[in-house]
Structure formats: C-alpha cells, structure tokens
Amino acid sequence: MAPVPPPQLADYDDLRRTFDWEAEARQLDGLPNDRGLNIGHEAVDRHVLDGNGDRVAIRWNPRRGDPVDMTYEQLWRRTNRFANVLARFGVDEGGGVATLTGRIPDLYVAALGTLKAGSVYTPLFSAFGPGPIKQRIDLGSIDVLVTTARLFSRKVAPILDELASIRHVLLVGDESFESDDPRVENLEPLLQAAGEEWTIPATDPETPALLHFTSGTTGAPKGVVHVHQAVVTHYASGRYVLDLRPEDIFWCTADPGWVTGTSYGIISPLTHGVTNIVDEGEFDAERWYSIIEANEVDVWYTAPTAIRMMMRVGDDAVRRHDLSSLRVIASVGEPLNPEAVRWGEDVFGMPILDNWWQTETGGIMIANYRSQPVRPGSMGRPLPGVDATILQRDAEGEIALDAAGRPVEIDDPGSSGELAVRVGWPSMFREYLNQPERYERCFVDGWYCSGDLARRDADGYFWFVGRADDVIKSAGHLIGPFEVESALIEHPAVSEAGVIGKPHETMGELVKAFVTLARGFEDTDAVRSELLAHARRSLGSAVAPREIEIVDALPHTRSGKIMRRLLKARELGLDEGDLSTLETPAGQAAAEVSP
Ligand code: ATP
Ligand code: MG
C-alpha cells in the first residue's frame, strides 16, 4: 500500500499566522483572460486544461449493478452541452435552475452546467413531496427544473399548472414521460443537439451561484444565496480539513439536496481533482463499508445520524471489511457525541473529525484536523483564516452591547454565548431570499451571529451547547440539549436521544428526554429508572432529565437532524409548524425514489 501522505495542515498555529485568503484564491485558476471566477471552471474545466481530463471525476455506484465512471473530460463535454441548452432557452446568465433527482450523474452535470452557464443552481431533495417542491420553486422563482420521469409524474405533474415561474422541465434518466405541457421535454436529445463547445461568460466573483434552502430544523426553511467567490472556502477547507489531494478517492455521503452535498459532495472535491464517489442507494451499514472497501476510499465525510446508526449495527460489521484505505473520517450536521468519536477510534483506528458550519456559512468554519489532537465532543478550532468568537447574550437573547455599543466577547471557558464569525470569509451568504431585515439582523458590528450557542476553552477549542431556540433554562441553569443527549447515549441501552425543555411552574423549564433503545433492550420501569440514575450520576441533578420517555423513533429532518422543536410541539400539544423537511417513516423516503 502507498505510504500515508502527511497532513496538508501540519501545524495549526503556524498556518493561522500565515494564512491568507488571497493566497488560497491563487491556488485556483480563475477564468482565462482575467474574466473572473466561476465555480464550474474550477471544478471541471481547469482539470481538462491542465491535461488531467482522463482522471475519473465521478464514480457512480447505482442502486443496483456495476459502478459507472465519468472522467473530467466527459464531465466537461456534458456540462458544456448543458450550458448550451440553457443558453438556447435564454436562461443562462442569472436564470434559476433546480434539480429534483436521486443521486445520479446528470444531477452533477446539471449543477455544474448551470454554474458554467452563469445561472443559479438550487438543489431540491428528491424525497420532497409536491408541497415543499412548490414552496421552494416559487420562493426561488426557478426557471428550469431538471427531474426524472418518475419523480415528475408523481410529484411535479400534479402541480405543474401552479408552477408559474417554471419555463422548462427537463427529464433525465432512462424512462420518458409524455406530457401535454409543452414545457416538458427529455434532456438527452437536447444535449445531443447542443454544441460541445462552451465559453463560460465573464463571472464577477460576487455573481450569485447557489440558492440553498436550510434544513428547517428550527422553523420554516430559509433561502440562502451564495456567490461564486464561495469556491475559495470550498477549496481551502477541502485542503486543510478534509486533506484532499488529486489522487484521492473521496466520498461525501450527504445528499446533494442539502448544502453539505453541494459544497462537499460536488464543489470542494472536484476543485481538488479527486475521484468523487456518488452512491445512489440509501443508508445501509453493510453497503457503506463495502463501498469504502471496494473503492479504497481515502477520505469519508458523513454525519452523526449515520454514525449513530452504524454504532447501533455494531463493531462486527466494520471488522468484516478492510477499511485500511481510510485516512480521514469527518462529520457534520449535528453535534457529534464524544461516544461516537471514541467509537471511531476503536473501530476505524482514527477519531472522527467533527466540524461545524451552516448553510449560511457555505463551508466549514470550525473543525478538528488530522494533525491536531481531538477533544471528543468539541467541534475543534476555526479554520485558519476564519475568526470565530463567543458573544454574550442579554436576558432577551439579543447580543449584549457594552457602553461603546460593541458586542462583548466571552473568554471564560465556563460560559456560553452566541457563536459568531467575523465577516470576510469567501463563502459567507449574501442574502436571505426576500428577507432583507432578517439578513441584517444576523450581523452585529462586523460579526455574523450564527444562532448557535457554544463555549470556547482556554486553548481555543469550541464546544457546542445548543441552538439558541433549543436551549433549556431550568432553575437558573442554561442547559444545552447536546450535553444531556451525549450523557444518555453513553449508556448501552440508549441508541439515540432528543432532549427538550418543558414549561414548569417553579423551575421555569424541566428537562425531558426522549430516547430510542439499543437492540436487546426493552421499555421497562427498570430501564427508565436506570437511565435516570445514570444521567444524574454523570450530569448532576440540576442538569439531568427529570422525565425520560422511551420512543420507537425520534423525528428527524430529511437531512438527518433531530427535530427538537417537533418533540416539544408534540409534548405541549402545540402547532407542529413547517413540516416540509420532516423525514417520513423509515424507508418511505427511499421507496419514493426507488424504481
Ligand atoms: P434551520 O436553520 O432551517 O433551522 P438548520 O440550522 O438545521 O435548519 P443547516 O444550515 O443545514 O440548517 O444546519 C446548520 C446547523 O446545524 C448549525 O447551525 C448547527 O446548529 C448544526 N450543526 C452543524 N454542524 C454541527 C456540529 N458539528 N456540531 C453541532 N451542531 C452542528
Ligand atoms: Mg440554521
């Protein structure tokens, strides 16, 4: 086996001192003849111009059957054709293109072809029903929808008349669908008729490139706009956090329907010229380990829910495979419980590197690094080039200001406050679609305030406390659900936990935990008392839950996060709010898109 290459981030403090976004940007090419910066060029065209067109860009693992490779050159030709189709439609510069497909190669062609055309790309998660699809298409004034015949007939055809902004629906895949609506066409003949040559239009780095919708964990999803400049963050974080290099096989398990699946499932890996694994199938521990083994995956980027599911399946499944190709395992999307970090060390021989970011930040902001010691339960330290802090909040939850009107930074490792990032990183969002006041409210004196609460220890490691909306105030204590959940899942009987605050007369709020049990455990009084006792031992009585309810499943967003707001609404009998991103019962989402 080839020797393991040294980490590209060798010394954290050193790189922090010397880091320069401009220098990172110079690692990219920019459009020929100083015509600006375009994500599509950096992800595809430049590798072809550099003579690396025959490298595999996308290795598609279909739900069934053998993998299919697409080289950078093939991707270049097909994205050129796609851009030509958009130009013919007159929706190139500034138009909006959305995809609604499973994880298939043409999703990647459409995304990158859209960017190369100068249009704005929006991914829609394939398991959305007609309501959430319409909501997002309307909000984004989407011009072109790329989807499969199957998804079209089930989800789009019934509402097509109401989709006023849609000018073209392009069907991809093997099946076709006859529609009376002249807007509906098969993409393949259009691609074949289109030219293979395409010149990316001059692209100012501030040109909108991506419109993402947030996961809707805490409320209705927000439309978040990113510009082409964001690619500098995607590239740099790919280099320093994921440690990507051109000869790597990389696999990001996130669906491209969400920001991780776009920033790190499409853009970041391709800017590094890696071979990007795309798996059409759903989560299945055995399938996943086989993919890593068969493809000799070097770098694997996944999420806490998946990791918790793998833990539940057990260590034997891991040990049946040779996963020695792995160099980096990273996780994002939710807090990664310390238990999971340690489990990674145990079974994969390396800690899982937790990192933090949001749709709004466009790319990784805080991370654990391959070369740096990992503190299990901590999100790590800011990306070199990113300035992060903890800002004090007042009793109303607003950022507290000092006499000079400046926000107050918290240095005390024991106190939590709002996690904020200094404005100026390339992938900062530029807009909440149609909500300018909401956008303005996120910024205080040059800081972007994330809405998440965290602490920072003396060595600059950040520790997630909770979302501001989820934090519990009980008898004068501020309690983060994550801490309580992490303590619960350390108990062998617990598979997953979701913790909420429930209004209480004297305490303000009482901590209530919902847990799912690990295999082999049953819902009995004894198990519940044992869990309560375990939580009190590890957390102390002020923080431990007073109530524990054992449930069959916790509600998750479709991007895999525990939806505490829904647990709370159900507990209190309140309106359940926007449920467009609620995961449907296990298997249903998969069934909706499978042939
Ligand atoms: P909405 O904003 O609509 O409620 P959302 O915040 O879940 O949805 P995303 O942008 O997908 O939408 O998720 C970002 C959020 O996910 C972060 O603000 C944070 O709360 C959580 N998160 C992501 N990574 C981590 C992490 N490593 N540790 C803790 N929390 C994380
Ligand atoms: Mg959010």
Side-chain angles (χ1 to χ4, degrees), residues 15 52 89 127 133 193 214 267 279 302 329 407 421 450 483 511 540 546 573 580:
L15 185 63
N52 293 319
F89 289 159
I133 293 171
T214 60
I267 301 171
D279 180 35
T302 188
I329 310 176
V421 184
S450 69
E483 187 186 6
V511 180
R546 297 292 167 108
S580 64

Side-chain angles (χ1 to χ4, degrees), residues 82-99:
F82 189 85
N84 273 310
V85 170
L86 293 184
R88 215 195 86 200
F89 289 159
V91 288
D92 40 345
E93 293 181 56
V97 179
T99 53

Side-chain angles (χ1 to χ4, degrees), residues 149-348:
R150 180 170 295 265
L151 289 167
F152 175 78
S153 62
R154 289 198 199 159
K155 300 175 174 201
V156 184
I159 54 164
L160 187 56
D161 287 346
E162 301 159 45
L163 299 177
S165 65
I166 292 288
R167 291 157 61 191
H168 300 273
V169 177
L170 304 176
L171 302 181
V172 295
D174 299 335
E175 295 171 57
S176 59
F177 181 85
E178 295 304 316
S179 169
D180 300 336
D181 195 310
R183 292 177 290 176
V184 184
E185 289 178 82
N186 289 314
L187 178 63
E188 196 58 43
L190 294 170
L191 288 178
Q192 292 315 322
E196 215 168 66
E197 302 290 320
W198 173 257
T199 306
I200 297 180
T203 312
D204 184 287
E206 285 300 311
T207 309
L210 304 162
L211 166 64
H212 281 294
F213 292 93
T214 60
S215 292
T217 312
T218 53
K222 306 170 277 268
V224 170
V225 177
H226 287 285
V227 298
H228 282 271
Q229 179 77 19
V231 70
V232 180
T233 306
H234 299 143
Y235 178 83
S237 53
R239 180 176 179 190
Y240 298 119
V241 182
L242 301 174
D243 197 36
L244 294 177
R245 43 195 104 213
E247 53 283 11
D248 279 345
I249 312 286
F250 171 72
W251 185 25
C252 170
T253 63
D255 190 275
W258 308 103
V259 71
T260 306
T262 307
S263 294
Y264 295 97
I266 307 180
I267 301 171
S268 176
L270 296 183
T271 60
H272 284 274
V274 310
T275 293
N276 196 28
I277 302 282
V278 173
D279 180 35
E280 191 185 21
E282 303 306 322
F283 173 83
D284 169 356
E286 191 58 39
R287 177 183 176 94
W288 280 26
Y289 300 143
S290 302
I291 289 175
I292 295 171
E293 183 170 24
N295 294 287
E296 300 187 20
V297 170
D298 298 278
V299 181
W300 182 28
Y301 197 14
T302 188
T305 353
I307 295 166
R308 288 191 295 260
M309 288 196 277
M310 288 186 271
M311 289 168 74
R312 184 187 248 192
V313 171
D315 304 3
D316 287 351
V318 186
R319 300 212 161 99
R320 277 198 297 273
H321 297 271
D322 175 4
L323 306 182
S324 58
S325 58
L326 286 170
R327 183 173 81 239
V328 175
I329 310 176
S331 161
V332 73
E334 275 191 300
L336 184 66
N337 316 85
E339 178 82 0
V341 178
R342 287 189 287 263
W343 180 75
E345 261 167 347
D346 222 35
V347 301
F348 300 115

Side-chain angles (χ1 to χ4, degrees), residues 214-218 222 333-335 354-355 358-359 452 467 561:
T214 60
S215 292
T217 312
T218 53
K222 306 170 277 268
E334 275 191 300
D354 183 23
N355 53 74
Q358 314 177 298
T359 309
D452 283 344
R467 293 158 180 272
K561 301 158 192 252

